[in-house]
Amino acid sequence: MRIVKVASGALNQTPLDWKNNKANILQCIEDARAKGVSILCLPELCITSYGCEDSFYSPYVCELALEILQEIKNHTKDMVVCIGLPLSFQNKIYNTACIIADRNILGFTCKQHLPNYGVFYEDRWFHRWPAGIQNETIIEGFKCPIGDITYQIGDIHLGVEICEDAWVPNRPAIRQFDKGVDIILNPSASPFEFHKFQTREKIVEDSSRSYCCTYVYTNLLGNESGRLIFDGDAMIASGGNLLASSHRFSYKSFTLTTATVDLDIATIAQAKIKSPIDGKSIVKFDFNFPEGLKPDYSVAELEPFEIGGFLKEEEFARAISLALFDYLRKSYSQGFTISLSGGADSSACTALVGLMIKLAEESIGLDGFKEKLGHIKKIQNLKSKEEIGHQIIHTMYQSTKNSGDATNTAAKKLAESIGATFYDVSINGIVEQYTSLIESQIDKKLTWEENDIALQNIQARVRAPGIWLLTNLTGHLLLATSNRSEVAVGYCTMDGDTAGSISPIAGIDKHWLRSWLIWLEKTGCNVSGKHIKIEGLQYVNKLSPTAELRPQDQNQTDEKDLMPYEILNEIELTAIKQKKSPVETFKYMLVKFDQRYSREDIYSWVKRFFKLWSRNQWKRERYAPSFHVDGHNLDPRSYCRFPILSGSFELELDELDEFVKNGNRKKSKKIGF
């Protein structure tokens, strides 16, 4: 019997953080060694980290990565380790996975398929390696294989696919199967999106069955470079059965997922399938794997949420909380400050930071939390979550005469429920002072009838200097509180409520966010049967979203100013993600909402959306960085590009007008030039 223990190591790396990245790799190797692992797969580009951007062009980056690889190889005695790094070859940069066996570099497998869509931009930095081609590079004076390689290590045949290689039809695994591989390793850097782990799990299970092998998949972990979150999804499958799966969203520096497999089972399966023989491009290395292991014949005992997956609500809670934690420690900031209005958006940001402390304690304990945040000296002697919350979460309610008691109460109760520091100040005098200064200069009294937007915006902008002052005094990060629905239509005040270093909820729409807040209040994250909730949200969840910038007798609400959030979200997905025209978007909205909203309202909302979208791209260019959590976001720097100046859909909206005017009596025709 050929029995071997394999492992996936998920690492929390940081771009160009050479010391930390190397330390995590070495600690993971030593943990694997202690657990009797013979073959360890580490993530894609784990030496440099994935999000180095244009720094990949710097020659020293590849040089230093290779130097560190040489140091790491000396720690691989009696093990096979797969490590990702960029490699310069013939003046081109390749995304590679190096296979090291017993302190010997056997070769560099190069990535063949580079994602260049959505948040991915790999074609900018790397070259695609052609299938079936092998070459040689010089490493420390010795020739070393590079390219499309499989490996024979002792009596085990090993193949490698790097992330995207497994997501395309003509994948390397097809050719590796023809070479009789026993194990395929997949080092990945696959960002979190809702329920994406289910797709990965299906790929791993199906790959192990289709190619009659053991398939070992690993991923990065945490907020790696600012925008992308990695859930640490790692798994091992054999013959179509999932043997082991990681604990996702861990706050640890690394996690290790192991399984012991009988490779002869896959050999028998391969013998039943007719395929061509391909003996080329195989690197051979003599190696004796340890004996006496017992294979895992059945699916391992995994915690229920790892098999079935989290609800979307829990995925969001865990992903953003982990992202905020990593952002805090990697930026060496002292905590978070939020301008807490008592509304849904700022309350969501506040609740997520409170949840961050609770989930971190669940993952690594309070001592581990303080150790990870060792740069925050003021929390090191604190004994409870509440004491830590008081120190690293600061909130401030800034009222004007248009603010209501209900939002004040909601803000205060939420802050108290998570132990945050709460400040309550009135900015009304400052607003009135600014207003009177301008009125004296233009010799005109400002009124709500004529100057509505200006009078609203001055209140939002006056809040920014005070919250920035509080933030700077403590060395905190200021959280911006805009959601994706507001991002789409520019429903915000630039240099007012958009102020902040990071925007945690800008990747999620307001309609879903409101339901999530109710879930977090009443259900919360499931941890071993115990639910981690934020019950202080009960006061927030009773309120209708409102900016509270107009006089109270006008009963201002966000949805009256814009449109129902459920409609806004559907229009954004249809018009922006699916790239539909105004007429096509209108038709879709009629089908989806015809029993709930009038044709006239839907028409006005679609038209308003397209106008607001086109005129507010300059705002989207200036929003604070946000996290990518869905299969779609509006960040022009990472996903959704649109010109700052455009034709504002003038022709397309004329066509919509004609279509609505004609109704179903006559087919709309294109407007001529």
Side-chain angles (χ1 to χ4, degrees):
M1 295 176 66
R2 292 182 304 150
I3 299 176
V4 63
K5 191 168 189 178
V6 298
S8 301
L11 305 174
N12 192 318
Q13 307 295 75
T14 306
L16 308 174
D17 188 357
W18 305 104
K19 292 181 180 179
N20 175 75
N21 292 351
K22 183 176 75 171
N24 288 346
I25 290 170
L26 293 179
Q27 289 172 20
C28 189
I29 290 174
E30 290 310 309
D31 190 30
R33 186 190 311 283
K35 290 180 169 61
V37 170
S38 294
I39 299 176
L40 171 63
C41 182
L42 297 177
E44 178 181 13
L45 295 169
C46 61
I47 291 180
T48 58
S49 207
Y50 181 77
C52 294
E53 304 283 344
D54 284 358
S55 292
F56 282 123
Y57 288 134
S58 301
Y60 84 90
V61 170
C62 287
E63 293 168 4
L64 194 49
L66 199 54
E67 289 178 20
I68 291 175
L69 179 73
Q70 299 287 353
E71 296 177 34
I72 293 171
K73 78 170 186 180
N74 296 323
H75 296 263
T76 62
K77 185 177 186 300
D78 298 327
M79 292 179 68
V80 176
V81 182
C82 176
I83 302 177
L85 75 160
L87 186 69
S88 179
F89 177 69
Q90 295 180 350
N91 296 324
K92 296 178 176 63
I93 305 170
Y94 293 94
N95 181 342
T96 75
C98 179
I99 298 297
I100 303 173
D102 194 22
R103 297 166 293 186
N104 291 275
I105 294 177
L106 303 190
F108 296 87
T109 297
C110 297
K111 194 170 184 178
Q112 298 175 28
H113 303 275
L114 303 179
N116 213 55
Y117 50 84
V119 296
F120 302 107
Y121 210 5
E122 288 189 37
D123 268 324
R124 181 178 176 92
W125 308 297
F126 304 114
H127 281 72
R128 299 167 181 252
W129 190 274
I133 302 299
Q134 182 178 341
N135 211 317
E136 290 181 335
T137 186
I138 305 298
I139 305 295
E140 288 192 324
F142 294 94
K143 292 181 178 180
C144 185
I146 180 174
D148 186 357
I149 308 167
T150 56
Y151 305 85
Q152 182 179 339
I153 305 173
D155 60 352
I156 293 177
H157 286 74
L158 191 72
V160 179
E161 294 187 305
I162 303 176
C163 200
E164 182 77 1
D165 285 339
W167 294 69
V168 298
N170 188 25
R171 56 190 287 191
I174 297 171
R175 296 180 296 279
Q176 292 168 8
F177 171 76
D178 292 339
K179 295 172 184 176
V181 296
D182 302 297
I183 298 172
I184 296 178
L185 306 180
N186 188 323
S188 288
S190 179
F192 165 78
E193 292 176 3
F194 290 127
H195 303 320
K196 188 177 179 181
F197 84 97
Q198 294 175 334
T199 304
R200 298 193 201 107
E201 186 176 287
K202 183 170 177 56
I203 288 174
V204 171
E205 289 179 330
D206 289 351
S207 297
S208 71
R209 178 175 54 252
S210 298
Y211 305 113
C212 306
C213 68
T214 294
Y215 203 93
V216 182
Y217 175 93
T218 194
N219 200 4
L220 287 171
L221 171 65
N223 182 348
E224 183 239 17
S225 59
R227 287 185 172 90
L228 300 184
I229 306 167
F230 296 91
D231 53 11
D233 199 14
M235 62 197 87
I236 300 164
S238 183
N241 294 317
L242 184 67
L243 300 181
S245 182
S246 66
H247 291 272
R248 297 192 298 142
F249 306 112
S250 172
Y251 286 68
K252 297 178 181 178
S253 297
F254 69 89
T255 62
L256 192 70
T257 303
T258 67
T260 304
V261 294
D262 182 354
L263 301 180
D264 286 338
I265 296 176
T267 302
I268 295 170
Q270 287 184 20
K272 299 176 181 178
I273 300 175
K274 304 297 185 291
S275 66
I277 296 175
D278 184 353
K280 299 181 293 184
S281 304
I282 298 177
V283 174
K284 296 184 179 181
F285 182 78
D286 291 332
F287 188 81
N288 294 318
F289 289 93
E291 298 179 355
L293 298 172
K294 182 179 179 181
D296 301 322
Y297 286 111
S298 60
V299 176
E301 293 183 3
L302 310 176
E303 292 196 12
F305 68 76
E306 297 299 344
I307 289 284
F310 298 123
L311 294 171
K312 180 180 178 181
E313 288 81 0
E314 185 154 353
E315 280 196 316
F316 179 74
R318 289 181 178 271
I320 302 299
S321 297
L322 176 57
L324 287 168
F325 177 74
D326 277 344
Y327 204 100
L328 180 63
R329 68 182 185 87
K330 293 182 181 183
S331 66
Y332 295 96
S333 299
Q334 298 295 306
F336 295 106
T337 295
I338 305 106
S339 183
L340 181 55
S341 70
D345 298 330
S346 60
S347 296
C349 293
T350 304
L352 282 162
V353 180
L355 196 62
M356 174 195 80
I357 300 176
K358 295 184 178 186
L359 292 176
E361 182 190 36
E362 172 245 328
S363 178
I364 56 178
L366 214 56
D367 289 339
F369 178 86
K370 292 188 289 185
E371 181 182 355
K372 286 274 189 181
L373 297 177
H375 67 282
I376 307 180
K377 303 305 180 186
K378 293 181 179 180
I379 69 170
Q380 298 308 312
N381 295 321
L382 302 182
K383 303 298 183 184
S384 69
K385 298 189 295 291
E386 291 73 23
E387 289 179 312
I388 291 175
H390 191 75
Q391 185 63 50
I392 69 171
I393 311 173
H394 290 178
T395 63
M396 186 159 71
Y397 183 85
Q398 301 181 78
S399 64
T400 70
K401 63 183 179 183
N402 300 320
S403 303
D405 293 338
T407 53
N408 184 290
T409 299
K412 185 177 181 179
K413 294 294 186 182
L414 173 59
E416 289 175 350
S417 73
I418 62 172
T421 298
F422 180 73
Y423 299 102
D424 188 349
V425 301
S426 172
I427 60 167
N428 199 64
I430 307 174
V431 172
E432 291 182 347
Q433 187 176 7
Y434 268 116
T435 304
S436 63
L437 281 172
I438 297 303
E439 287 175 335
S440 68
Q441 293 299 305
I442 65 175
D443 194 25
K444 175 186 175 182
K445 184 73 174 176
L446 301 182
T447 67
W448 285 103
E449 290 73 23
E450 294 184 19
N451 312 111
D452 178 84
I453 297 298
L455 289 173
Q456 289 194 66
N457 284 350
I458 187 58
Q459 296 171 70
R461 289 198 173 100
V462 163
R463 290 186 171 111
I467 199 69
W468 270 122
L469 176 60
L470 182 62
T471 301
N472 293 158
L473 287 172
T474 55
H476 281 201
L477 285 164
L478 177 60
L479 296 185
T481 59
S482 297
N483 60 72
R484 194 173 84 190
S485 301
E486 294 175 354
V487 170
V489 292
Y491 187 67
C492 62
T493 302
M494 297 310 298
D495 308 312
D497 54 317
T498 60
S501 309
I502 187 75
S503 191
I505 61 170
I508 204 72
D509 68 270
K510 184 70 167 271
H511 180 61
W512 184 83
L513 186 70
R514 292 170 68 185
S515 67
W516 177 81
L517 287 169
I518 295 171
W519 172 87
L520 187 58
E521 174 206 339
K522 297 183 180 298
T523 303
C525 295
N526 185 0
V527 180
S528 302
K530 181 181 73 173
H531 289 270
I532 298 178
K533 301 182 267 190
I534 305 292
E535 294 177 341
L537 287 168
Q538 59 183 294
Y539 301 93
V540 176
N541 289 332
K542 293 175 182 177
L543 304 175
S544 296
T546 173
E548 284 196 318
L549 296 174
R550 292 196 183 103
Q552 292 188 29
D553 60 10
Q554 294 192 24
N555 297 316
Q556 181 182 20
T557 67
D558 294 350
E559 291 186 305
K560 267 200 282 186
D561 283 353
L562 290 170
M563 64 190 77
Y565 277 118
E566 63 174 341
I567 284 270
L568 199 163
N569 182 48
E570 288 297 332
I571 294 174
E572 181 241 303
L573 292 174
T574 305
I576 307 306
K577 183 179 181 180
Q578 299 173 15
K579 303 292 188 287
K580 301 297 185 183
S581 71
V583 169
E584 292 169 325
T585 302
F586 174 67
K587 289 178 179 178
Y588 181 80
M589 295 304 125
L590 284 179
V591 172
K592 189 171 181 66
F593 296 107
D594 68 333
Q595 299 300 317
R596 299 171 58 188
Y597 302 105
S598 70
R599 178 186 177 91
E600 292 74 19
D601 282 342
I602 291 174
Y603 161 63
S604 68
W605 293 331
V606 169
K607 193 166 184 177
R608 182 182 303 173
F609 176 89
F610 277 95
K611 287 183 175 181
L612 291 173
W613 169 270
S614 59
R615 74 173 60 151
N616 285 298
Q617 179 65 21
W618 68 277
K619 290 187 177 183
R620 288 187 288 276
E621 299 282 348
R622 293 188 54 208
Y623 275 101
S626 61
F627 302 133
H628 178 77
V629 294
D630 211 339
H632 164 65
N633 72 60
L634 303 182
D635 188 341
R637 290 154 294 186
S638 68
Y639 193 97
C640 185
R641 299 188 176 215
F642 190 83
I644 296 174
L645 301 176
S646 71
S648 301
F649 298 99
E650 184 178 356
L651 181 68
E652 296 92 328
L653 291 175
D654 285 346
E655 184 186 9
L656 175 61
D657 291 341
E658 184 187 7
F659 179 83
V660 172
K661 181 180 178 181
N662 292 333
N664 296 322
R665 294 187 299 275
K666 171 168 93 170
K667 184 178 179 182
S668 174
K669 61 182 179 181
K670 295 287 183 182
I671 304 297
F673 291 98

